[in-house]
Amino acid sequence: MDALRISRRQSIAGLSVAGLAGLLIPPAYAQQKRETTGVGIAKKGAAIDDEDIFTFALNLEYMEAEFYLRATTGKGISDTDAGMDAGRVVGGHEAQFKEKAIREFIEETAENELAHVRFYRKTLGRNVISRPAIDFDAGFKAAAQAAGLPADFDPFADDMSVLLGGMLFEDVGVTAYAGAVPLLKKKEFVEASAGILAVEAYHMGMARSQLYMMGEKAWDAANAISDARDKIDGTPEKEDQGIRVDGKANFVPSTPDAIAFTRTPQEVLRIVYLAEKAGVSKGGFYPNGMNGEIKTT
């Protein structure tokens, strides 16, 4: 773990991250990438560094850990894990699970996401951010409206609801890490990111398969969430995929070569802010925006 601690002196020139992070590349090249691919990110005239990348990831892990912990225990992460300047979390309650297996799956997922929070906090050390303000009530209300789900949709209600709520952002995490891992240069970063990607993919594969077995109501709701993400992220060329496609199960959203899709930070932020335009720095699940440098669509 000590080898993974980050300092600004250790930033790696030439590291570009099209998914979870930004670009650790010279400013001139960052500008060129913005013009040609739309994935470059500049920070006050300089390239985004590795610390900013891990900070962006931590913002997302805070939200995932809070969601699953509240669904299984009725409580969020501890004050110690949230940080000294933690923002408030609105919404969430313990779900009324009907199936023991699904409760155990969600409990394991909660433990994994909390472990991710602790990993990033330890890795970032003195530069770690506290948990940003998170609003599940407003975020899921807006997400339900965008997906055409019932206005009173409660992602903490029961088995299906928790799986649907998790699907909203868990699939996004997979696409974000998939974009980041191949472009990392430092061996320790590649290993850590690849490992977290695998865990997130295990989570979503299980959730998608469980939803599929719940029948038509779950198919329609999950596909509606997928369609909403597809519209909001601003990339019509990257078609999001629901759990049922062409009349068949679709547990693994991927390209024709069975490779996971990727998303840029801006595309991820559009989804969690529920914002369809560029230049937005807060909203949706993050009423005050994310903490750190990477926070604008």
Side-chain angles (χ1 to χ4, degrees), residues 13-217:
L15 171 63
S16 65
V17 178
L20 247 190
L23 294 176
L24 279 173
I25 51 181
Y29 185 62
Q31 178 63 33
Q32 179 184 7
K33 290 293 286 184
R34 283 195 300 278
E35 293 172 352
T36 59
T37 69
V39 301
I41 304 173
K43 179 186 71 172
K44 299 176 182 177
I48 290 293
D49 62 26
D50 41 5
E51 182 180 49
D52 299 316
I53 292 170
F54 277 71
T55 295
F56 182 77
L58 177 55
N59 277 281
L60 298 173
E61 297 291 354
Y62 275 132
M63 181 172 71
E64 293 183 353
E66 289 288 353
F67 176 78
Y68 291 114
L69 284 170
R70 286 164 190 269
T72 54
T73 70
K75 299 177 182 179
I77 63 179
S78 70
D79 291 343
T80 299
D81 290 319
M84 295 185 64
D85 300 316
R88 182 184 175 210
V89 178
V90 176
H93 58 83
E94 187 171 359
Q96 298 299 309
F97 291 100
K98 299 177 181 178
E99 297 292 335
K100 183 174 182 288
I102 292 181
R103 169 179 269 282
E104 290 180 352
F105 162 62
I106 299 299
E107 287 174 342
E108 182 180 9
T109 302
E111 292 173 1
N112 293 162
E113 303 300 2
L114 178 57
H116 291 165
V117 167
R118 290 171 174 168
F119 165 78
Y120 281 118
R121 286 184 60 82
K122 182 176 181 180
T123 301
L124 289 165
R126 289 180 298 175
N127 297 304
V128 69
I129 58 160
S130 295
R131 179 191 63 209
I134 297 170
D135 192 336
F136 288 122
D137 286 348
F140 278 112
K141 181 177 180 180
Q145 182 178 6
L149 298 176
D152 61 351
F153 171 68
D154 177 8
F156 299 94
D158 53 27
D159 307 49
M160 183 189 299
S161 301
V162 173
L163 292 171
L164 288 170
M167 178 183 168
L168 178 67
F169 45 78
E170 196 86 36
D171 267 342
V172 177
V174 174
T175 60
Y177 276 106
V181 171
L183 299 170
L184 292 166
K185 300 299 183 183
K186 193 171 183 178
K187 182 176 182 291
E188 293 87 350
F189 294 166
V190 173
E191 290 177 349
S193 297
I196 294 176
L197 166 59
V199 170
E200 301 291 352
Y202 275 128
H203 292 167
M204 209 57 249
M206 177 63 75
R208 290 171 72 98
S209 63
Q210 290 295 322
L211 283 168
Y212 190 83
M213 290 188 288
M214 289 178 177
E216 189 169 355
K217 182 179 179 180

Side-chain angles (χ1 to χ4, degrees), residues 174 178 241 250 252-261:
V174 174
Q241 295 176 8
N250 188 60
V252 184
S254 61
T255 70
D257 295 318
I259 298 173
F261 293 105

Side-chain angles (χ1 to χ4, degrees), residues 232-248:
I232 293 170
D233 71 10
T235 57
E237 72 280 5
K238 296 181 183 178
E239 185 177 355
D240 203 296
Q241 295 176 8
I243 64 173
R244 188 170 173 82
V245 175
D246 296 331
K248 298 180 181 179

